[in-house]
């Protein structure tokens, strides 16, 4: 039986969350606090924003 649109979107959202966690954990520690030209947002800031949404 085909999935509903809602179930499909839930699956995509869960996969995106897993990918975000894996990217954060897989990044070298020194790069987690790096920001472009020391003016942009760090990876930690961006992951925290995603978690808050």
């Amino acid at each position: 039986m085909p999935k509903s649109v809602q179930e499909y979107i839930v699956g995509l959202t869960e996969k995106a969350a897993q990918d975000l966690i894996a990217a954060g954990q897989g990044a070298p520690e020194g790069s987690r606090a790096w920001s472009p030209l020391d003016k942009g947002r760090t990876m930690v800031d961006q992951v925290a924003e995603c978690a808050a949404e």
Side-chain angles (χ1 to χ4, degrees), residues 6-37:
Q6 291 85 355
E7 290 171 328
Y8 178 72
I9 293 172
V10 166
L12 290 178
T13 304
E14 289 173 345
K15 174 77 168 87
Q18 292 169 357
D19 291 346
L20 178 65
I21 291 167
Q25 291 175 336
E29 252 186 74
S31 69
R32 294 176 188 170
W34 174 85
S35 67
L37 302 173

